[in-house]
Amino acid sequence: MVTRRSPARTRMLKELGSNIARWRKLQGLSATVLAERAHVTRDTLRAIETGTGAPRIDSLLAVLTSLGMANTVIASTDPWNSIAGRALMDEQIGMAGQHPPTSTRQPAANGK
């Protein structure tokens, strides 16, 4: 398997891992407890939190779910939640002003 890691990708993986570790600590969870809740090994959680290795995406999703963050992360990838994504949809397929058919859209943080 070929690993393609640029300095930017390495930085982003470390930043994501650090953010996950911060959320775990803010929730008062030890790494062992979070790993058990997510049904991943302690080594897998360590790889995620340090931005090293190559954990499976379902392991990352399990950790995010255990921290209550999975829906937020998934919603952040929805083009409808991005000005650039909405502009591209309008440009490419004329979808301006339409709402997506899925229920994955999250309400705005301010309740509007």
Side-chain angles (χ1 to χ4, degrees):
M1 178 168 72
V2 176
T3 302
R4 297 182 181 117
R5 288 252 174 115
S6 66
R9 184 173 297 156
T10 297
R11 179 187 48 76
M12 288 187 282
L13 287 169
K14 287 183 179 188
E15 187 174 344
L16 176 63
S18 293
N19 290 341
I20 289 170
R22 279 190 211 102
W23 274 107
R24 174 180 57 77
K25 292 171 185 174
L26 286 169
Q27 293 183 30
L29 299 173
S30 71
T32 301
V33 169
L34 179 56
E36 288 172 358
R37 286 185 183 180
H39 302 284
V40 299
T41 66
R42 180 64 186 88
D43 287 340
T44 296
L45 180 59
R46 183 180 298 113
I48 291 170
E49 289 188 346
T50 60
T52 59
R56 294 178 0 186
I57 195 164
D58 64 325
S59 297
L60 175 60
L61 189 59
V63 169
L64 294 172
T65 299
S66 295
L67 290 170
M69 300 171 45
N71 289 336
T72 301
V73 172
I74 292 168
S76 73
T77 65
D78 184 347
W80 284 103
N81 293 331
S82 161
I83 293 170
R86 289 190 302 273
L88 285 169
M89 283 188 278
D90 184 38
E91 179 182 306
Q92 292 180 10
I93 55 178
M95 293 185 69
Q98 296 180 24
H99 295 286
T102 65
S103 62
T104 60
R105 293 189 68 222
Q106 298 292 315
N110 62 6
K112 293 182 182 179

